[in-house]
Amino acid sequence: MTAPVLLPRGPYTPRATPLDLPPGAGAPSSRTVFSAAHVVADPYADIGPDDPAAVDWEATLAFRRHLWSHGLGVAEAMDTAQRGMGLDWVGAAELIRRSAAEAKAVGGRIACGVGTDQLPTTGEVTLADVRAAYEEQLALAEEHGVQPILMASRALARAARGPEDYLATYAHLLRQASEPVVLHWLGPMFDPALEGYWGSTDLDEATDTFLKVIAEHPDKVDGIKISLLDAAREIDVRRRLPGGVRCYTGDDFNYPELIAGDERGFSHALLGIFDPLGPLAAHAVRVLDTGDVAGFRALLDPTVELSRHLFQRPTRFYKTGVVFLAWLAGHQDHFTMVGGLQSARSLPHLARAYELADGLGLFPDPELAAHRMRALLAVHGGAR
């Protein structure tokens, strides 16, 4: 038995054995399931917080192979990969190129974020600038054969003067897309710069504009990803979608009920929490494939406490907990993040994440996780 770890809340005795969820079981069939994946920083790069990200490409791609081996799709170069919070467009473009090649090599499913983050973050920006930036990134995604995810754009939020500018911009992009895309609505809790997206801070009005974009171009929209942490709104939008357009939940607070669905439909998944939950999440959805909703909920409902903890306000710093758990699980050799974001959460927050994740059996080697937790406590002066 692993010796207790003295956490800020008090002594914690680690779980003796992890979940037994070996790879190779195949992809779920009743739901399309993507994990938004984090990037692994190069801890030996001699750079500062404002320098371009230094990525450990080998470890980053190894983590994607881990997700694919459990039957999950990879949502690449998204918010979880620190787009706009440490990873700039140059780094994201390289990530897309490398991950697309890796997906092709192993037969993994992949979709990639397309945005406008090559534009300056301050100063005037025009709608023409926004369109050109989106077009550049869309062309890269299509060149490498990955499904594009049209991400919400900070630049468009700055340039748009009302709903009509969103309608015109997205219509322009969808007409150009060679294959159906996923539209992404990321709420301001994930990125404050996206306040008032779709032309209104009134969510009912914004929802109407969002749905109008889809209704006018249903053949160019594979699905939508909603990240508003509002289950009732997602269900309402899901029920109003044209036939054949999927809803991918991005609700890291309410995903079990949304994926399970009801008599009127269900959500697929594209979730940041499925980065640390990958094997368990894939197993749970395969249970759902058999029609066993109760079994699915019994597996996934207990994970919600961990997810809500990681995604607590300020929600945008959930990436710190995701990378922290990847380190404890042995998927990388260090707890360093691009942009120095490892400092974004407190020691008590990280200790609670460890406790919750260990209780779920998420660490393949509980001894290793406990050892690394003790090391972090020691660095912070908390080892007693």
Side-chain angles (χ1 to χ4, degrees):
M1 177 182 294
T2 303
V5 180
L6 190 55
L7 301 177
R9 287 162 47 101
Y12 171 74
T13 301
R15 178 171 171 151
T17 57
L19 292 173
D20 182 20
L21 296 172
S29 59
S30 64
R31 308 288 190 272
T32 300
V33 183
F34 287 98
S35 166
H38 74 279
V39 294
V40 182
D42 178 355
Y44 296 111
D46 186 13
I47 58 173
D50 296 328
D51 293 327
V55 176
D56 180 338
W57 293 113
E58 182 177 350
T60 294
L61 295 175
F63 188 75
R64 280 131 183 84
R65 291 192 295 270
H66 155 72
L67 294 172
W68 284 318
S69 74
H70 286 277
L72 295 168
V74 168
E76 189 56 277
M78 301 285 290
D79 186 56
T80 305
Q82 296 181 240
R83 286 288 290 271
M85 287 187 69
L87 188 72
D88 62 12
W89 166 237
V90 173
E94 184 64 16
L95 180 61
I96 291 170
R97 293 185 191 98
R98 290 175 181 258
S99 291
E102 198 72 18
K104 186 177 295 186
V106 303
R109 183 163 187 163
I110 186 170
C112 292
V114 166
T116 63
D117 47 333
Q118 67 270 58
L119 294 174
T121 57
T122 59
E124 184 178 353
V125 63
T126 68
L127 292 175
D129 295 332
V130 171
R131 288 195 299 270
Y134 264 128
E135 288 169 350
E136 177 188 354
Q137 296 199 17
L138 182 61
L140 178 76
E142 293 185 340
E143 176 188 350
H144 291 278
V146 301
Q147 183 177 24
I149 302 170
L150 291 187
M151 302 171 67
S153 162
R154 293 175 180 174
L156 180 55
R158 284 161 47 208
R161 295 293 174 262
E164 63 283 350
D165 287 340
Y166 287 89
L167 292 169
T169 299
Y170 277 90
H172 176 84
L173 296 169
L174 290 172
R175 283 194 297 269
Q176 292 193 46
S178 60
E179 300 291 341
V181 307
V182 176
L183 297 182
H184 185 193
W185 184 0
L186 190 70
M189 68 288 292
F190 289 94
D191 187 344
L194 299 176
E195 183 73 39
Y197 210 74
W198 302 110
S200 178
T201 56
D202 182 305
L203 285 180
D204 290 335
E205 293 180 4
T207 298
D208 288 343
T209 302
F210 181 53
L211 287 169
K212 188 174 182 180
V213 170
I214 300 162
E216 292 178 352
H217 308 276
D219 58 320
K220 288 298 186 74
V221 181
D222 163 72
I224 62 168
K225 176 184 178 331
I226 306 179
S227 299
L228 298 176
L229 305 182
D230 183 338
R233 184 167 297 277
E234 177 172 324
I235 291 169
D236 174 66
V237 172
R238 187 173 76 195
R239 290 174 177 173
R240 295 166 65 187
L241 290 174
V245 177
R246 311 182 205 203
C247 179
Y248 294 92
T249 187
D251 188 331
D252 300 278
F253 282 6
N254 304 291
Y255 50 93
E257 65 183 89
L258 292 165
I259 296 169
D262 55 30
E263 69 282 355
R264 296 178 61 184
F266 57 82
S267 294
H268 300 269
L270 199 166
L271 289 160
I273 191 57
F274 281 7
D275 180 301
L277 292 183
L280 176 55
H283 172 64
V285 180
R286 284 191 292 268
V287 170
L288 185 60
D289 290 345
T290 70
D292 184 0
V293 177
F296 165 79
R297 295 296 297 265
L299 287 164
L300 219 52
D301 282 0
T303 70
V304 171
E305 185 179 5
L306 170 64
S307 189
R308 288 183 175 232
H309 177 74
L310 295 182
F311 285 78
Q312 68 182 222
R313 294 181 179 179
T315 304
R316 62 189 181 278
F317 294 129
Y318 76 88
K319 296 100 164 168
T320 302
V322 165
V323 174
F324 172 65
L325 295 182
W327 172 55
L328 294 184
H331 294 299
Q332 55 193 78
D333 294 331
H334 58 85
F335 180 38
T336 303
M337 297 177 67
V338 299
L341 208 64
Q342 67 272 9
S343 65
R345 292 295 201 190
S346 69
L347 181 63
H349 177 92
L350 297 175
R352 182 59 177 157
Y354 160 71
E355 188 177 357
L356 291 170
D358 181 76
L360 292 168
L362 297 184
F363 301 131
D365 185 343
E367 289 273 4
L368 175 65
H371 170 74
R372 289 183 170 181
M373 187 69 239
R374 290 192 190 95
L376 183 70
L377 290 163
V379 168
H380 282 262
R384 289 174 284 171

